[in-house]
Amino acid sequence: MSQEKWYDQFYGKKSSRSAKAAERTKRKEYNKARDEYFDQKRRGVLAEDGVPTSQSAKKGQRGVADVPAGAQKSAAQRSSIGDVRSFAAGASDAQILSSRNLFDATAIPQDSRRVLENFDAIVQGVRPMNSRQMQSLPKDIRTLSHLLTDERGARHVAYMNATEQLSAYLRYFTWWNLVRLTRVFANLPASSLAFNDGDALLDAGSGPLTLVIALWLSRPELRQKRLTVYCMDISQSTMAVGEELYLSIAAKTPPKNPDAEGFWKIVRVKGELGTDIRKKAVFVGAANMFNEIYQKDHEAPEKIADKQIKALTSYAAPGARFFIAEPGMPVAGRFISLMRERFIRRGCAVVAPCPHQKTCPMNGLHARYGGSAKWCNFSFSTADAPQKLLKLSESAGLPKERAVISFLFVTGGEVQSSSDAGSLAELHDVRGNPTENKVQKALPLAVVSDPIRLGEHRTGFYSCTEHGMALAIAGRAKGLKSGDIIKMSMLKSMDTLPKDKKSGAVEITL
């Protein structure tokens, strides 16, 4: 008889109260049990299999497990994204000159939004399920979620070849990944993805071609191009399903030019990163691949990053673009920070999300084990996500109020950075009046965290600047959110500003 998991008791509960009240109670109980469970694991009371160490035969394999999908919520994250109260607590320290968001949904083309809204129907056309399979889908999604998070050790290397798991992945995880990636690609600078006819792209760890589909949906100008996309993965069957999905979607979102071919040439390459391809790529992408490598490779993170940077750059043509996206977890934030450092050493320039090329102030060092270092991960509200996807998430017991991602986009050539837009600006006072005709270089700032409720009715956001980590205080600036890239002119010297006692970050009131 299989052992009951710690989370099993929270699924299938019935209550006479309203559905919303029951859901709130269930989530509170779930969070409490989760905290107790992982606290025991950190203290060594439980082994990796969840059995008390006094009963476990695996005493030498203790470690810290990752928090299950949808379960990790810090005090800052628990605050509502839509409830950001801003108060003018004295004079501002900086004036906002311009602001844009890395996840602006309006940047996604209208025809692509329709595809995202009805992605489940497209999957059904490619990989149909009967009514019985549909009924078990929420349970299959929940099972796969745990295999991808707190039960990774029990996951088989070819898990995507299993019928139930591949169907659950396509209908849930691929859908959410498309929601995330289309927002990222649609909001990158126009010049960063300016490819030419005949260019080759590489999608490493391609799976069901999620990255390729996201690129097609978010950048309609690329649909006109004759591109060859090398899709690399160890699962040939998963890539085959992904290619069918891509072609179905391309048929629904054709290029505006009637003379264009209507789709890119897909070349499936079975193998791991390091497998040869015929042509150097102008774009090398990898989405949700390296977190799986971490599970198999037990070397130090720095050595893993050294190996992966060498493998990725071996495929690149001169001036190639590189894109990495990982789940918004501490281990992923740490890895991306390490890769960022190595790309810069090789002469690459960071396009997004970083507002500068200097040392990363949110490198996630030891964050996974309770260290004080912040890790770079962004979130956006799911309020305008596909309603059918939100409903499916609820039925699977994995409700999402926010989508989280850690990512990096760099280039070996010269393109406009996400933070470049009017680098020189006339300095104004807090009322918008010009001061002494002084001209000052605009300081870019990236808002990273969710809103944090501070004392004295203030709201703050951990942010990134070339001077290090900052705590941006919403003073006169209203509606700040994670992913905002702000250009500001400082009205006070950074050296004179107070510092946050908890993090040491300089406080900047906007």
Side-chain angles (χ1 to χ4, degrees), residues 440-451:
Q440 175 175 309
K441 183 177 180 180
L443 177 67
L445 175 145
V447 178
V448 178
S449 77
D450 283 337

Side-chain angles (χ1 to χ4, degrees), residues 69 140-142 144-146 148 165 168-178 180 210 389 398:
D140 293 338
I141 291 171
R142 189 164 62 245
L144 181 56
S145 174
H146 287 293
L148 293 172
Q165 291 177 2
Y169 193 90
L170 289 172
R171 293 171 180 271
Y172 181 79
F173 295 96
T174 298
W175 203 350
W176 273 120
N177 286 334
L178 286 175
R180 295 182 182 94
T210 311
L389 177 56
L398 302 168

